Amino acid sequence: MAGLSLQHIYKRYKNKNKFSLIQFIKNKGKMPKTDKEFVAVKDFNMEIEDGEFIVFVGPSGCGKSTTLRMIAGLEEISDGELYIGDTLVNDVDPKSRDIAMVFQSYALYPHMTAYDNIAFGLKMKKIPDTVTDKNGKQKKIMRHFTKAEIKEKVSWAAKVLNIEEQLNKKPGEMSGGQRQRIALGRAIVRNPKVFLLDEPLSNLDAKLRAAMRAEIVKLHDKLKTTFIYVTHDQIEAMTMGTRIVVMKLGIVQQIDTPTNLFDFPENKFVAGFIGTPQMNFFDVDIQKEGENLNVTFENGQTIAYKLGNLRKIKPEYLDGEQHKATLGVRGENITTVKKGLKTNLTLKEVLGNTTQLFVHLTEDSRDFVVCVSERTDYNNGDEVNVAFNERYIHLFDCETEEAIMAREYGNN
């Protein structure tokens, strides 16, 4: 087991220019030189403690899988240093990094039984050992695992993953969840320093995904090994990770615990990406007046919020002048009231124990969602008055999209 250190990691790809056959001939059969490049990962810095469960999350193309592949050694690091434990591994072959990777596609051998798929890596691997020669001298050698050792390890993995009855079956005879367990078994028998999992549940249906999420968390608790997990599903990230890395366009947006990401997003992107349904955003004008913060919405209505109930706002926004900002609030922190911010109902969705109301401020504005626990009698087109819980309001700079509120409460 080991921690990891990623120090100023970059991944760059050279862009290939498209050119015609005529250009190729004019260039005397040579490819044109180009200085253009695509930077897939930009200045990634992180210290991962031994035994942590780290989740990389973000939309497609954000660089999360590329980062994982650089850790695995499947992609070359363009700049920066990667340490596994105390060892610099930039130039170390993947097979020598003592990591195990579980892929999205399972990558099982279809002609082998589950037992042979799990045992395959052990059969190929050599381990150090000490033997005594005929003269009584001890010497160090590298040897393969014995059949008994392999059987013991496979049986242990099968018991941990509850797949003992599947060992004699081939992948084609198993369900997606069972195949995923076989892929996990093949990884854990190697007892690696680090587990890498690249969207391993994306091929499963929703119900099975939820069950396998719990199984992977239980596996981490049993093994106490460092896990790095890649997903685009923020629910997986929130329920599995001890810490989450949110990425966008190759840049780390925030590294934090699930609850801190949810409660204290550092920018508008993180706020909108984490949480279901997505956080609601409003373009507003804010102005301090006495002990209140006046917030003017796009329908012209102004609501006064007590500054003492809001998280601390940067002083430059509380100078008494009017400032443009983005206000964010989650649907579960909005309630319907008799007198409040006036909206009109576009759509009502009854989800059993909750109801989602999609409402808008003006005819031209986008809908935002209000989550209420009770059943409502509202119909499409009705006027709905809503109020925001002051303690859960977020404010972001309208240009930089960075949060302008601290984590603690109270304003002077």
Side-chain angles (χ1 to χ4, degrees):
M1 296 185 289
L4 289 89
S5 177
L6 293 89
Q7 302 176 10
H8 305 289
I9 299 294
Y10 282 79
K11 180 57 185 177
R12 299 185 177 92
Y13 296 98
K14 289 288 185 182
N15 285 339
K16 294 182 179 179
N17 286 345
K18 293 183 179 180
F19 60 102
S20 65
L21 179 60
I22 295 173
Q23 290 175 311
F24 186 72
I25 294 171
K26 286 182 178 179
N27 206 37
K28 297 180 180 179
K30 295 180 180 179
M31 296 287 285
K33 293 182 179 180
T34 176
D35 294 326
K36 294 181 179 179
E37 61 182 14
F38 169 67
V39 184
V41 178
K42 305 173 187 177
D43 199 23
F44 192 111
N45 288 284
M46 188 177 186
E47 299 294 326
I48 300 174
E49 298 295 328
D50 184 19
E52 276 197 282
F53 196 126
I54 300 296
V55 180
F56 295 166
V57 68
S60 297
C62 71
K64 55 188 184 295
S65 289
T66 302
T67 305
L68 194 78
R69 290 174 64 83
M70 284 192 285
I71 294 172
L74 303 177
E75 292 277 0
E76 185 180 345
I77 297 172
S78 302
D79 281 304
E81 295 181 335
L82 171 64
Y83 289 86
I84 298 179
D86 297 325
T87 305
L88 179 66
V89 296
N90 286 47
D91 300 319
V92 176
D93 290 335
K95 65 179 181 180
S96 303
R97 295 191 180 192
D98 199 8
I99 54 96
M101 190 163 181
V102 179
F103 298 91
Q104 178 181 348
S105 61
Y106 314 139
L108 301 177
Y109 296 106
H111 63 286
M112 292 184 181
T113 63
Y115 180 96
D116 290 330
N117 267 287
I118 295 173
F120 184 79
L122 296 176
K123 292 176 181 177
M124 298 295 105
K125 186 178 180 180
K126 285 188 175 182
I127 57 172
D129 199 358
T130 303
V131 296
T132 304
D133 62 18
K134 58 184 179 182
N135 298 321
K137 292 183 179 180
Q138 290 188 334
K139 62 178 182 178
K140 294 181 179 179
I141 63 167
M142 297 296 292
R143 67 169 179 85
H144 289 288
F145 284 105
T146 65
K147 287 185 178 181
E149 289 172 329
I150 291 173
K151 184 177 180 180
E152 181 183 357
K153 286 179 174 289
V154 173
S155 298
W156 167 79
K159 187 175 181 180
V160 169
L161 295 166
N162 195 24
I163 51 174
E164 294 164 290
E165 296 179 358
Q166 311 299 325
L167 291 180
N168 292 323
K169 295 181 181 179
K170 293 183 178 179
E173 304 173 70
M174 293 183 282
S175 68
Q178 290 167 340
R179 287 197 292 269
Q180 188 61 75
R181 289 168 189 261
I182 301 303
L184 287 168
R186 183 177 54 191
I188 68 173
V189 292
R190 296 182 55 207
N191 193 28
K193 291 179 179 177
V194 182
F195 282 99
L196 307 178
L197 300 97
D198 190 6
E199 302 201 41
L201 307 183
S202 58
N203 291 333
L204 306 180
D205 61 62
K207 186 176 180 180
L208 190 53
R209 243 192 343 259
M212 284 302 299
R213 277 204 311 263
E215 292 300 325
I216 291 175
V217 172
K218 290 177 186 176
L219 180 63
H220 173 256
D221 289 340
K222 288 179 182 178
L223 301 179
K224 307 295 183 186
T225 308
T226 306
F227 276 48
I228 303 178
Y229 187 102
V230 163
T231 180
H232 63 274
D233 186 337
Q234 54 95 13
I235 295 177
E236 284 185 14
M238 291 290 287
T239 55
M240 299 176 77
T242 53
R243 283 196 296 162
I244 300 173
V245 182
V246 183
M247 299 183 69
K248 177 188 177 185
L249 300 176
I251 300 172
V252 174
Q253 303 295 306
Q254 187 172 347
I255 302 174
D256 220 323
T257 63
T259 52
N260 281 342
L261 283 175
F262 188 86
D263 294 337
F264 310 114
E266 293 180 359
N267 58 46
K268 183 180 174 183
F269 174 79
V270 176
F273 192 84
I274 299 296
T276 303
Q278 183 180 348
M279 182 181 286
N280 303 302
F281 296 107
F282 305 88
D283 294 326
V284 297
D285 292 315
I286 60 174
Q287 185 175 19
K288 180 184 178 183
E289 185 177 338
E291 296 182 355
N292 293 331
L293 182 74
N294 291 336
V295 178
T296 303
F297 293 84
E298 58 186 300
N299 65 354
Q301 193 170 355
T302 298
I303 306 293
Y305 296 104
K306 291 184 179 180
L307 282 166
N309 293 337
L310 298 172
R311 289 189 287 120
K312 277 190 177 180
I313 302 170
K314 290 184 177 180
E316 56 265 36
Y317 294 89
L318 300 178
D319 57 2
E321 300 295 323
Q322 195 172 72
H323 298 273
K324 292 190 176 298
T326 299
L327 183 148
V329 63
R330 300 191 186 278
E332 59 267 29
N333 297 320
I334 307 175
T335 56
T336 57
V337 292
K338 290 184 178 180
K339 188 177 179 180
L341 184 65
K342 294 178 180 179
T343 71
N344 288 94
L345 182 64
T346 303
L347 177 67
K348 177 173 69 173
E349 290 184 345
V350 180
L351 304 178
N353 60 337
T354 61
T355 302
Q356 292 187 350
L357 304 176
F358 292 85
V359 297
H360 57 266
L361 294 172
T362 67
E363 290 295 333
D364 297 327
S365 65
R366 61 184 178 274
D367 288 345
F368 66 95
V369 63
V370 180
C371 303
V372 293
S373 57
E374 70 276 5
R375 305 287 172 88
T376 66
D377 296 327
Y378 292 114
N379 295 312
N380 293 352
D382 286 353
E383 183 178 284
V384 181
N385 293 324
V386 300
F388 300 164
N389 188 327
E390 293 169 296
R391 296 189 65 82
Y392 300 104
I393 285 176
H394 302 262
L395 290 173
F396 305 94
D397 185 278
C398 63
E399 293 183 0
T400 66
E401 297 189 347
E402 295 295 315
I404 63 174
M405 303 179 86
R407 296 189 178 190
E408 62 271 14
Y409 285 86
N411 291 276
N412 298 323

